[in-house]
Amino acid sequence: MENNNDIQKSLANKYFSRKTIDELISSKTKVKNEWEDLYFYLNKNYRNEYYYKNTLFNKFVIGKYSPKTSYATGEVIINRSRADFLLVNRNDAFIFEIKTELDTLEKLIYQVEDYYKVCSIVYILVSEDKYYPVYKLLKDYKVGICVLTKTNTISIRKLPEEDNSRLDHEALFKLLRKEEYEYLIEQEFDDISSIKEVYKFKEYMKKFRLLDIKKCQFLVFKQLNRRKKTVDVEYIRRVPFELRWLVYQSNLNRKNYKRLLENILGGN
């Protein structure tokens, strides 16, 4: 039989999902505020991956930088790994790998090596109890290490150093959507008009490999940063902070943003 703690965990995990945003948008009336209590529970008892990502988003994208100049996304496939949080600010990019109280460090070295294929700066965001194990495990890497403190500040305990030695053309190229790599290559090369559609990915990657690796990184980050939406800037600050990462990742159009805000704020 489930105890109350297990029930609360289950409720919180289910609530902070895209399904909840869809339900909040489709509601015909102002909805009951459930997110504050569930988020408070996460804070005190169960700081899961969503809690860490939402804190990163609020502290960096909303706080330190701006949705006007930054693009953030999660679950980015890089080689064998899936990066938890990628932040592109103008022409720079940072990867944050999250290790919560609930995670193991089993794959961390392989993850870091993959992330350096696209980013020159990599951070590990950890719980307080994981700082020293991570520090020891990654002592030969130039990663930065941050701690999500009990007061929900992000404390940088080890500053990162730039590492360009592992940058990889293919890994960078694969970050891009089809229309993005087509635009990039067509801006850089003139002799591509005869390439047939079916061969574009392979042939465009060959062209991409001809470019200096740091230039490739710069061009890829520039394309990624173009994904940010002006509608996010206009509405995201009005979203309750507990829901911001969830809403941001939902890629809502203007109509659905307005509907969401009406239902959770009562039109305020």
Side-chain angles (χ1 to χ4, degrees):
M1 185 175 180
E2 284 188 315
N3 60 35
N4 187 59
N5 195 44
D6 290 334
I7 292 171
Q8 287 293 102
K9 285 182 183 179
S10 179
L11 286 173
N13 283 330
K14 288 179 180 178
Y15 189 85
F16 294 103
S17 67
R18 175 58 196 260
K19 183 180 178 182
T20 293
I21 299 303
D22 292 338
E23 290 173 353
L24 292 175
I25 291 170
S26 62
S27 177
K28 301 299 182 184
T29 59
K30 185 177 184 296
V31 297
K32 178 184 176 184
N33 179 345
E34 297 181 74
W35 51 85
E36 285 187 2
D37 288 343
L38 289 171
Y39 202 78
F40 181 80
Y41 172 81
L42 292 182
N43 177 29
K44 295 300 181 183
N45 303 284
Y46 185 64
R47 298 199 302 182
N48 62 4
E49 190 173 287
Y50 174 78
Y51 190 91
Y52 275 68
K53 288 178 179 177
N54 193 55
T55 304
L56 275 172
F57 182 73
N58 279 296
K59 300 284 188 186
F60 282 87
V61 180
I62 300 295
K64 184 175 181 179
Y65 301 118
S66 166
K68 290 182 180 180
T69 60
S70 303
Y71 168 75
T73 188
E75 305 304 307
V76 183
I77 296 173
I78 303 171
N79 201 30
R80 306 159 295 176
S81 303
R82 193 182 296 265
D84 288 322
F85 194 96
L86 171 65
L87 171 62
V88 182
N89 181 47
R90 295 194 186 277
N91 300 315
D92 295 321
F94 313 93
I95 281 177
F96 290 85
E97 176 60 26
I98 295 168
K99 294 300 178 187
T100 75
E101 295 91 333
L102 314 169
D103 293 324
T104 70
L105 306 181
E106 183 180 355
K107 299 178 181 178
L108 185 55
I109 288 179
Y110 306 109
Q111 290 172 315
V112 167
E113 290 178 349
D114 282 342
Y115 301 156
Y116 274 124
K117 292 179 184 295
V118 301
C119 275
S120 303
I121 299 291
V122 175
Y123 288 93
I124 316 299
L125 176 62
V126 299
S127 56
E128 188 74 61
D129 65 300
K130 282 193 167 52
Y131 172 71
Y132 284 110
V134 168
Y135 181 87
K136 291 176 183 177
L137 184 65
L138 299 177
K139 64 181 184 299
D140 296 326
Y141 293 84
K142 297 180 179 181
V143 297
I145 306 177
C146 309
V147 170
L148 181 59
T149 69
K150 295 186 184 302
T151 57
N152 294 314
T153 59
I154 294 178
S155 172
I156 300 177
R157 302 290 177 84
K158 177 178 179 287
L159 289 171
E161 297 178 52
E162 186 171 324
D163 186 349
N164 299 309
S165 65
R166 297 178 174 85
L167 292 176
D168 180 80
H169 284 87
E170 183 174 346
L172 280 162
F173 190 80
K174 287 183 175 179
L175 290 179
L176 300 174
R177 298 167 181 163
K178 183 175 185 294
E179 65 273 15
E180 292 169 339
Y181 71 68
E182 286 182 347
Y183 177 83
L184 188 159
I185 296 300
E186 289 165 12
Q187 291 292 306
E188 293 295 317
F189 296 94
D190 297 325
D191 56 336
I192 55 174
S193 57
S194 61
I195 297 175
K196 293 182 179 180
E197 194 69 28
V198 68
Y199 300 122
K200 272 189 175 181
F201 180 83
K202 181 179 178 181
E203 295 302 318
Y204 278 33
M205 188 183 288
K206 285 182 181 179
K207 293 289 187 183
F208 190 71
R209 290 181 183 279
L210 298 176
L211 299 173
D212 174 77
I213 191 66
K214 283 297 290 180
K215 180 176 181 178
C216 288
Q217 187 189 51
F218 171 84
L219 294 173
V220 167
F221 292 167
K222 188 174 180 180
Q223 287 299 310
L224 294 179
N225 203 32
R226 291 176 64 184
R227 294 181 188 176
K228 64 184 181 296
K229 295 183 178 181
T230 55
V231 71
D232 294 331
V233 180
E234 192 172 336
Y235 293 111
I236 196 67
R237 290 181 186 275
R238 295 178 60 197
V239 174
F241 76 92
E242 299 93 343
L243 299 175
R244 282 178 179 167
W245 175 244
L246 186 56
V247 171
Y248 181 84
Q249 285 290 96
S250 297
N251 293 317
L252 304 181
N253 58 32
R254 186 176 297 269
K255 178 181 176 182
N256 283 336
Y257 253 114
K258 288 182 175 180
R259 183 67 180 163
L260 173 70
L261 292 172
E262 286 173 2
N263 288 344
I264 63 179
L265 302 176
N268 294 327

